């Protein structure tokens, strides 16, 4: 295999070979067995077989656009299995190459495909994942921190360290759209003429309906500090500077990957998440539809039937006609959409989850934010923590009845996960820390009574500083810790994950890069007790020294919590390894069990000038394959590496990189795994996700690009049918 990192030294030779590589030489048929529904063959370049490159087959003949992607084996052979009857365009993509010519084919054919070597290092780098480009961004040096109002580097006081700077870039910029994508790293001339690139960046951050959030992030970073660095980054790229590192081709079991992709949604729509099954039982909804959550972009929920290849839309209702819409957000003109506000979402449909009956639950806005009086006064939980606002509530869609039920909640909702208890309690995170509470819905009680107020509750996060295991009298979130008392912590779950082991709920609170509060990111272990509003206790655990920026949480079958860190790590936390005391003053900081953590550095480059123990890679969330739905083993954690445009599965001590190479700019926020047929081996199972970027038009395909439903499967070898 020709390594991508050897490309620069071979440019003169490759340029000549590229001219000669218009077609593959005549060869005997490869030793590839295919059936009538498969495509197979070999990929060769001027130097022979091309191993570890992708073969992409795409068709527009089905009700929605469909594509399938596989990887070649060590001899350059491939099999694309189980294709629907249609006409396909088939081509080769890989590191060290540019895209080959498209071949026309139908299932049942054997193809000889000619790879096209990249004529230059610049041409090859166009196919690198975005992290290789955005790692070129120069950071303020470590000695420029902490920020202050008098800082000559113009870094505000809220940024205490270079880690806070990186955390903000990753969790408030990269988490919404891919910084390294072609459109972001190469600003459009249509933005206008500017005296400097710093002014250009000031203008481009005022584009679209996300401009207020971008302005807030820029204010936190400090415009005088951040804008020149972004301008310098794109100026250097425009001048021809290339990434200082290069990716490797898929190897080993990474070549067993089969990717299926379907278009869904509408061109201006973006998706936050998708769901295919019940997290607790992946056999639910076998072969059934996939549901998406369009967040602020639309009130239309996309639905895909992956068997018939049909995508459709269903409208999410709201209860109160005064429910605000994202259409009213401040907006600047866009080079893609002009002055048109492309988002019009009243329901703010953030996150879906499926129950054991195949019903789909959403965190969704159904009314204006001001809470009714009982949330502040008479509700049993209000006597502990009165709530004046709820920015997002709940809904559930029943596919059999094709009906919606809207559920008002006093607490704000963000992510949602079902517990393993007999009440099938739905636990919900709040996202932002303002309320400092965790909410839940007893779905069994709600199903029996329809009483939305009586079926819900919430609790403050009370750190058990006394170590008693029971809630003691506590001080408020803005008061210092006191001996003999617990403490209400002004944190809120962003990620939430009930443990399969029992009555423990794990949560994760965002750090300063997202919450804009002077608190570190945390893992939080919540023990609800008999009456959670009054009995729930919490333990806080802060990532160890040198790491930072937890985002998302999931729990394996052993009760071990996993999260991803903005420092460029997948992190494992095992409370059973704690050797010291879990009470006292240190318990308020979460610094009391460093031995419980194990860090795994993400593959890929690191920003120059940053701690080399970390990575520039950023993952939006983490999911643990408790049921082995992918085929890499039980309890394998999977990180959504949206810089590397891949899923990163940790198998043992090694990451398996499952890159989605088409369309470039793949960006996932979460996955789930489903088993459609337990007897069908690898063909009966797989992971499901969707494009999660807020700007599909920044990626390959441009303005007309639709979000994708993505299914990933691992077969036993690269030629398995």
């Amino acid at each position: 295999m020709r390594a991508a990192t050897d490309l620069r030294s071979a440019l003169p030779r490759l340029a000549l070979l590229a001219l000669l590589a218009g077609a593959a030489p005549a060869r005997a048929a490869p030793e590839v067995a295919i059936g009538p529904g498969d495509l197979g063959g070999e990929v060769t370049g001027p130097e022979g077989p091309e191993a570890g490159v992708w073969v992409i087959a795409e068709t527009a003949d089905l009700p929605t656009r469909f594509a399938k992607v596989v990887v070649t084996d060590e001899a350059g052979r491939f099999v694309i299995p189980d294709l629907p009857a249609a006409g396909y365009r088939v081509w080769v993509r890989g590191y060290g190459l540019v895209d080959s010519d498209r071949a026309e084919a139908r299932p049942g054919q054997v193809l000889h495909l000619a790879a096209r070597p990249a004529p230059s290092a610049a041409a090859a780098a166009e196919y690198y994942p975005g992290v290789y480009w955005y790692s070129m961004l120069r950071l303020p040096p470590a000695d420029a921190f902490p920020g202050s109002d008098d800082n000559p580097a113009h870094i505000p006081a809220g940024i205490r360290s270079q880690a806070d700077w990186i955390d903000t870039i990753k969790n408030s910029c990269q988490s919404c759209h891919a910084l390294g994508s072609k459109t972001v790293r190469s600003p459009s001339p249509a933005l206008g003429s500017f005296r400097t690139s710093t002014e250009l960046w000031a203008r481009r951050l005022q584009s679209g309906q996300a401009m207020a959030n971008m302005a807030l992030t820029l204010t936190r970073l400090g415009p005088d500090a951040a804008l020149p660095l972004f301008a310098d980054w794109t100026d250097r790229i425009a001048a021809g500077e290339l990434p200082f590192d290069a990716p490797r081709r898929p190897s080993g079991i990474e070549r067993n990957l089969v990717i299926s992709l379907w278009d869904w949604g509408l061109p201006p729509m973006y998706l936050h998440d998708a769901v295919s099954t019940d997290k607790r039982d992946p056999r639910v909804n076998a072969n059934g539809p996939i549901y998406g959550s369009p967040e602020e972009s639309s009130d239309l929920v996309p639905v895909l039937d992956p068997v018939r290849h049909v995508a459709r839309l269903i409208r999410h209702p709201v209860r109160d006609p005064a429910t605000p819409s994202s259409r009213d957000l401040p907006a600047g003109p866009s080079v893609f959409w002009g002055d048109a506000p492309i988002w019009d979402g009243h329901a703010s449909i953030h996150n879906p989850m499926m129950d054991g009956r195949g019903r789909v639950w959403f965190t969704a806005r159904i009314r204006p934010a001001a809470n009714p009086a009982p949330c502040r006064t008479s509700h049993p939980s209000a006597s502990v923590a009165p709530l004046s606002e709820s920015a997002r509530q709940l809904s559930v869609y029943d596919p059999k009845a094709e009906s919606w039920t809207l559920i008002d909640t006093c607490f704000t909702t963000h992510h949602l996960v079902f517990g393993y208890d007999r009440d099938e309690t739905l636990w919900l995170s709040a996202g932002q820390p303002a309320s400092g509470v965790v909410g839940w819905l007893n779905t069994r009680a709600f199903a029996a009574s329809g009483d939305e107020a009586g079926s819900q509750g919430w609790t403050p996060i009370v750190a058990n500083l006394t170590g008693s295991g029971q809630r003691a009298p506590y001080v408020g979130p803005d008061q210092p810790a006191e001996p003999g008392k617990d403490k209400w912590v002004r944190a809120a779950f962003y990620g939430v994950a009930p443990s399969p082991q029992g009555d423990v709920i794990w949560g994760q609170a965002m750090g300063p890069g997202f919450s804009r509060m002077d608190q570190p990111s945390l893992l939080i272990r919540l023990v609800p007790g008999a009456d959670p509003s009054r009995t729930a206790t919490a333990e806080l655990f802060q990532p160890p020294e040198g790491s930072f920026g937890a985002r998302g949480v999931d729990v394996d079958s052993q009760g071990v919590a996993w999260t991803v860190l903005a420092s460029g790590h997948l992190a494992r936390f095992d409370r059973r390894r704690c050797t010291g005391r879990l009470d006292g003053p240190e318990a308020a900081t979460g610094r009391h069990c460093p031995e419980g953590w194990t860090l795994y550095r993400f593959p890929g480059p690191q920003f120059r000038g940053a701690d080399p123990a970390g990575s520039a890679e950023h993952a939006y969330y983490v999911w643990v394959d408790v049921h082995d739905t992918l085929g890499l083993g039980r309890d394998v954690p999977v990180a959504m590496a949206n810089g590397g445009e891949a899923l990163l599965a940790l198998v043992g001590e090694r990451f398996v990189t499952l890159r989605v190479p088409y369309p470039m700019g793949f960006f996932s926020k979460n996955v789930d795994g489903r088993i459609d047929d337990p007897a069908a081996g690898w063909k009966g199972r797989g992971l499901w996700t969707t494009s999660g970027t807020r700007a599909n038009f920044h990626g390959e395909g441009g303005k007309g690009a639709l979000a994708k439903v993505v299914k990933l499967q691992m077969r036993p070898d690269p030629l398995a049918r």
Side-chain angles (χ1 to χ4, degrees):
M1 182 182 77
R2 185 171 53 254
T5 51
D6 295 336
L7 187 60
R8 289 175 176 82
S9 63
L11 289 182
R13 175 172 55 87
L14 289 179
L16 175 60
L17 292 175
L19 297 175
L20 303 176
R27 298 173 58 90
E31 296 178 4
V32 174
I34 65 169
D38 309 328
L39 282 171
E42 64 178 350
V43 177
T44 57
E47 296 182 346
E50 291 281 358
V53 299
W54 296 284
V55 181
I56 305 164
E58 184 176 53
T59 182
D61 293 351
L62 302 174
T64 192
R65 185 179 298 272
F66 172 76
K68 213 159 198 178
V69 185
V70 299
V71 190
T72 58
D73 71 359
E74 72 283 350
R77 300 173 299 176
F78 68 92
V79 170
I80 308 177
D82 298 329
L83 289 166
Y88 290 85
R89 301 176 74 201
V90 186
W91 73 98
V92 178
R93 174 171 289 181
Y95 301 137
L97 307 175
V98 296
D99 279 0
S100 70
D101 292 335
R102 267 65 165 172
E104 303 289 335
R106 298 191 70 86
Q109 289 184 243
V110 173
L111 304 175
H112 304 279
L113 301 177
R116 180 175 293 172
S120 66
E126 291 297 318
Y127 295 87
Y128 291 0
V131 66
Y132 289 87
W133 289 96
Y134 83 69
S135 63
M136 297 166 62
L137 178 69
R138 289 172 176 155
L139 307 175
D143 61 9
F145 302 93
S148 74
D149 295 338
D150 301 321
N151 192 311
H154 305 286
I155 298 171
I159 300 287
R160 300 163 300 180
S161 65
Q162 190 186 69
D164 283 355
W165 177 278
I166 295 172
D167 190 9
T168 303
I169 291 291
K170 289 186 176 182
N171 277 318
S172 195
C173 299
Q174 171 67 14
S175 63
C176 287
H177 55 83
L179 288 179
S181 59
K182 177 68 172 178
T183 299
V184 177
R185 69 179 186 256
S186 301
S188 169
L191 281 165
S193 299
F194 303 90
R195 291 183 304 156
T196 67
S197 295
T198 298
E199 292 182 357
L200 179 151
W201 267 91
R203 158 64 185 88
R204 78 184 308 201
L205 293 181
Q206 298 176 54
S207 299
Q209 290 155 282
M211 62 175 289
N213 185 61
M214 290 191 285
L216 191 61
T217 299
L218 184 62
T219 299
R220 175 163 177 77
L221 293 170
D224 292 339
L227 288 175
L229 292 175
F230 280 105
D232 167 74
W233 174 56
T234 52
D235 282 349
R236 286 185 284 118
I237 290 172
E241 186 173 331
L242 299 177
F244 52 80
D245 198 359
R248 59 169 180 81
R249 289 184 178 181
S251 62
I253 60 175
E254 294 170 345
R255 295 178 181 171
N256 299 350
L257 179 63
V258 178
I259 306 166
S260 302
L261 305 106
W262 295 261
D263 279 4
W264 67 345
L266 301 169
M269 182 186 291
Y270 74 87
L271 278 299
H272 191 280
D273 267 324
V275 70
S276 70
T277 190
D278 183 350
K279 181 177 173 65
R280 301 160 300 177
D281 181 359
R283 297 167 297 177
V284 170
N285 193 42
N287 295 303
I290 315 300
Y291 298 86
S293 54
E295 202 181 29
E296 300 295 343
S297 68
S298 178
D299 290 332
L300 299 173
V301 173
V303 183
L304 173 77
D305 179 340
V307 176
R308 297 188 299 121
H309 311 285
V310 173
R312 60 189 178 95
L313 299 165
I314 54 177
R315 182 169 293 278
H316 190 295
V318 295
R319 179 175 292 179
D320 188 331
T323 303
S325 171
S326 56
R327 186 179 179 85
D328 300 324
L329 291 171
S334 160
V335 298
F336 291 94
W337 307 100
D339 293 324
I342 61 172
W343 299 347
D344 188 10
H346 298 77
S348 186
I349 311 161
H350 183 264
N351 190 214
M353 197 62 61
M354 191 173 288
D355 66 18
R357 294 167 55 186
R359 298 177 301 176
V360 188
W361 297 71
F362 295 91
T363 52
R365 184 169 56 210
I366 66 172
R367 60 167 173 85
N371 272 343
C375 299
R376 306 188 302 272
T377 56
S378 60
H379 191 282
S381 296
S383 64
V384 181
L387 298 177
S388 60
E389 288 191 343
S390 169
R392 190 186 283 122
Q393 298 82 38
L394 265 175
S395 67
V396 57
Y397 177 71
D398 186 339
K400 294 180 180 178
E402 297 185 345
S403 63
W404 289 91
T405 301
L406 306 182
I407 305 168
D408 202 353
T409 60
C410 295
F411 49 86
T412 292
T413 67
H414 200 67
H415 292 108
L416 71 172
V417 181
F418 283 97
Y420 294 83
D421 57 303
R422 63 183 297 271
D423 289 328
E424 296 192 81
T425 304
L426 186 62
W427 290 91
L428 300 114
S429 70
Q432 292 283 7
S435 65
V437 303
V438 179
W440 64 87
L441 181 79
N442 182 325
T443 63
R444 184 175 64 88
F446 178 73
S449 67
D451 180 0
E452 59 189 10
S455 302
Q456 68 177 274
W458 60 93
T459 178
I461 298 175
V462 179
N464 191 216
L465 307 190
T466 61
S468 64
Q470 296 182 340
R471 185 184 293 182
Y474 54 88
V475 298
D478 300 319
Q479 297 175 288
E482 293 182 19
K485 291 187 177 182
D486 289 343
K487 179 175 172 56
W488 182 351
V489 178
R490 183 70 78 188
F493 285 10
Y494 177 83
V496 58
S499 172
Q501 285 252 312
D503 193 21
V504 171
I505 313 300
W506 282 93
Q508 164 269 318
M510 300 296 291
F514 180 90
S515 68
R516 301 178 182 92
M517 291 182 64
D518 187 19
Q519 69 173 44
S521 60
L522 299 165
L523 283 186
I524 302 173
R525 181 178 182 267
L526 185 78
V527 180
D531 179 11
S533 296
R534 292 170 174 79
T535 59
T537 59
E539 295 172 342
L540 315 180
F541 300 100
Q542 190 177 157
E545 197 70 35
S547 65
F548 54 87
R551 185 174 191 130
V553 64
D554 205 359
V555 186
D556 66 25
S557 65
Q558 303 304 306
V560 174
W562 294 82
T563 188
V564 288
L565 303 177
S567 51
H569 299 91
L570 174 65
R572 177 184 191 269
F573 182 76
D574 188 347
R575 183 179 178 273
R576 298 170 299 182
R577 295 184 176 183
C578 296
T579 57
R581 296 180 60 174
L582 296 179
D583 60 352
E586 282 293 293
T589 69
R591 286 289 192 192
H592 53 314
C593 182
E595 65 273 17
W597 293 87
T598 305
L599 303 183
Y600 303 88
R601 183 194 184 277
F602 287 140
Q606 172 64 303
F607 298 108
R608 285 177 167 163
D611 185 352
S615 167
E617 182 62 273
H618 173 257
Y620 188 92
Y621 217 82
V622 65
W623 176 83
V624 178
D625 193 2
V626 173
H627 301 283
D628 190 22
T629 56
L630 181 58
L632 292 177
R634 292 184 180 274
D635 285 337
V636 167
V638 179
M640 284 86 252
N642 49 34
E645 303 174 18
L647 304 181
L648 295 176
L650 185 71
V651 182
E653 299 289 310
R654 175 179 175 270
F655 281 110
V656 176
T657 300
L658 307 176
R659 187 182 174 201
V660 178
Y662 174 76
M664 285 186 284
F666 170 72
F667 189 114
S668 174
K669 288 182 176 173
N670 209 347
V671 301
D672 69 352
R674 188 169 80 186
I675 299 175
D676 293 320
D677 183 354
W682 72 271
K683 288 190 177 185
R685 59 186 61 218
L687 301 191
W688 294 87
T689 186
T690 186
S691 313
T693 174
R694 286 191 172 198
N696 290 297
F697 44 88
H698 282 172
E700 186 174 1
K703 183 176 178 179
L706 296 177
K708 301 281 188 182
V709 174
V710 184
K711 182 181 183 181
L712 300 98
Q713 297 172 284
M714 295 296 290
R715 50 186 172 179
D717 64 75
L719 303 182
R721 299 169 41 226

